[in-house]
Amino acid sequence: MRMSDIAKAAKISRQALYLHFPNRAELLVATTRYLDELHEIEGKLIESRAANSGIERLSAWINFWGGYIPTVYGVSKALLAIKDSDEEAMLAWNDRMHAVRHGCAAAVSALKDDGKLVVGLSEAEATDFLWTLLSVRNWEMLRKDCGWTQDRYIEVMRSTAAAALVSS
Amino acid sequence: MRMSDIAKAAKISRQALYLHFPNRAELLVATTRYLDELHEIEGKLIESRAANSGIERLSAWINFWGGYIPTVYGVSKALLAIKDSDEEAMLAWNDRMHAVRHGCAAAVSALKDDGKLVVGLSEAEATDFLWTLLSVRNWEMLRKDCGWTQDRYIEVMRSTAAAALVSS
DNA sequence: TGTCAACTTGACGCCGTGTCAAGTTTCGAA
DNA sequence: TTCGAAACTTGACACGGCGTCAAGTTGACA
């Protein structure tokens, strides 16, 4: 998806795009912010915090984030593709990923409070692991390369995350 | 890492590179093949098949592949970066990933033969999951972004893969 | 009617890949 | 010892995509 493609889709000249966004990276960042707003992400995040037990909270978090990935997949992939060559894209991506990590940390913390965090992993390690498990790349691999359905993705992520992180 | 960087490192002109490799994709592919040869991958793969139980085999496979990722990380990342725009790089990458998937499938199959594959996942799904878990991207996230040591990476992958895939 | 912002067309520079042409070095076989 | 082919060099060029610039057009509205 080149700048000229976006301009064409917006029925605008390529140059007019640069009147609104200084460069490709900021356009993509603005798009993610717009999507977040459109889907009222903040509100839904707060809802997911209402879960009682750590286990429920882990489940709710996976439902939420796993369910949101499809809507940000396109722009995430574009951001991901340029983040190694574009400093600003890198910062924007890290910022975004930091927010996701925070959600993972909250779920892990709730688990720990319940005394249900698996032995053998520190809280930080469990957070790292969950964050990695729920990455956009993994979603892409399972849904696109392996042909999983969205529902199956959520189910399996829930069950495997529980198996890996919840003490039995 | 541009073609000119590679040429400089090889103490050769950029154009001379094109006398040996038709394009960037084939250079990267040839490099992975060379690395495989250098590390006698085939032989080590056969060794890992000697494990007795499915559980041991899963462990051996994670040790092997997880331990090999660091040596192919650089070139894998380069291949990964261009695979969305270069048809040939895409094919080469898929070919490579197919081989890794095969290793995952063998471990899952051995688990199944022992009656130790977790209920709730088909053999194909378990293979998909393991393959995704052991992706180069996940290794990168945990080692580079999260700062894990290589040893810890292997340990956690072994324990979480076992938790997610082995029935208790 | 005049002004200003939003937009247009059309050009350009930069950078990295890949291509081409023409000349030079190296080296082994006759 | 010389000749020829292979490997390499320098220096140029086209192409695609991003970002920039200049100059002209449109349209709203005071």
Side-chain angles (χ1 to χ4, degrees):
Chain A
M1 173 80 47
R2 292 153 294 188
M3 292 298 273
S4 55
D5 295 324
I6 296 168
K8 192 180 292 178
K11 291 177 180 173
I12 238 180
S13 72
R14 187 176 71 87
Q15 286 68 9
L17 227 46
Y18 287 98
L19 297 175
H20 297 276
F21 308 97
N23 52 50
R24 182 177 169 76
E26 290 213 7
L27 185 152
L28 292 173
V29 171
T31 306
T32 68
R33 296 217 192 294
Y34 173 72
L35 284 175
D36 284 357
E37 210 172 292
L38 200 66
H39 293 88
E40 293 160 330
I41 285 317
E42 289 299 328
K44 290 183 186 166
L45 266 172
I46 290 164
E47 279 173 38
S48 89
R49 286 189 201 119
N52 294 323
S53 70
I55 295 171
E56 280 171 32
R57 184 144 176 188
L58 176 64
S59 194
W61 166 245
I62 295 175
N63 279 345
F64 164 69
W65 172 243
Y68 189 50
I69 292 177
T71 84
V72 288
Y73 170 61
V75 65
S76 289
K77 185 165 180 166
L79 221 33
L80 220 39
I82 61 171
K83 93 175 169 86
D84 285 319
S85 61
D86 186 308
E87 184 66 19
E88 196 191 344
M90 166 118 184
L91 294 176
W93 179 255
N94 286 350
D95 187 65
R96 193 146 188 80
M97 283 307 98
H98 188 264
V100 174
R101 217 195 114 89
H102 188 265
C104 293
V108 167
S109 174
L111 222 48
K112 174 124 192 174
D113 289 348
D114 287 3
K116 290 281 194 177
L117 184 61
V118 73
V119 293
L121 286 182
S122 70
E123 210 173 324
E125 284 175 333
T127 300
D128 292 340
F129 178 80
L130 183 58
W131 181 50
T132 301
L133 190 68
L134 297 179
S135 70
V136 173
R137 299 285 197 190
N138 282 357
W139 180 89
E140 181 182 36
M141 254 178 116
L142 294 171
R143 294 244 31 218
K144 307 283 174 177
D145 298 341
C146 300
W148 289 23
T149 65
Q150 174 67 18
D151 286 350
R152 194 68 186 133
Y153 166 80
I154 296 279
E155 275 172 31
V156 173
M157 284 300 114
R158 276 209 310 256
S159 66
T160 52
L165 299 180
V166 178
S167 64
S168 50
Chain B
M1 172 84 37
R2 292 154 293 188
M3 292 298 272
S4 56
D5 295 324
I6 296 168
K8 193 179 292 177
K11 291 177 180 173
I12 238 180
S13 70
R14 188 175 70 87
Q15 287 68 10
L17 227 45
Y18 287 97
L19 297 175
H20 297 275
F21 308 97
N23 51 50
R24 182 176 171 77
E26 289 214 8
L27 184 153
L28 292 173
V29 171
T31 306
T32 68
R33 297 216 190 296
Y34 172 72
L35 284 175
D36 285 356
E37 210 173 292
L38 200 65
H39 293 88
E40 293 159 331
I41 285 318
E42 289 299 329
K44 290 184 185 165
L45 266 173
I46 290 164
E47 280 173 36
S48 88
R49 287 190 201 117
N52 294 324
S53 70
I55 294 171
E56 279 171 32
R57 184 141 176 191
L58 176 64
S59 194
W61 167 245
I62 294 175
N63 278 346
F64 164 70
W65 171 243
Y68 189 50
I69 291 177
T71 84
V72 287
Y73 169 63
V75 64
S76 290
K77 184 165 179 166
L79 221 33
L80 220 39
I82 60 171
K83 95 177 167 85
D84 285 320
S85 60
D86 186 308
E87 184 65 20
E88 196 191 344
M90 165 118 185
L91 292 175
W93 179 255
N94 285 348
D95 187 63
R96 193 146 188 81
M97 283 307 98
H98 188 265
V100 174
R101 216 193 114 88
H102 188 264
C104 293
V108 167
S109 173
L111 222 47
K112 173 124 192 175
D113 289 348
D114 288 2
K116 290 280 194 177
L117 184 60
V118 73
V119 290
L121 285 182
S122 70
E123 211 174 322
E125 284 175 335
T127 301
D128 292 339
F129 179 81
L130 182 59
W131 181 49
T132 301
L133 190 69
L134 297 179
S135 70
V136 172
R137 299 285 195 188
N138 282 356
W139 180 90
E140 181 182 36
M141 256 177 112
L142 293 171
R143 293 245 30 220
K144 307 284 175 175
D145 298 340
C146 301
W148 289 23
T149 65
Q150 174 67 17
D151 287 349
R152 193 69 187 133
Y153 165 80
I154 296 278
E155 276 172 31
V156 173
M157 284 299 115
R158 277 210 309 257
S159 66
T160 52
L165 299 181
V166 178
S167 63
S168 51

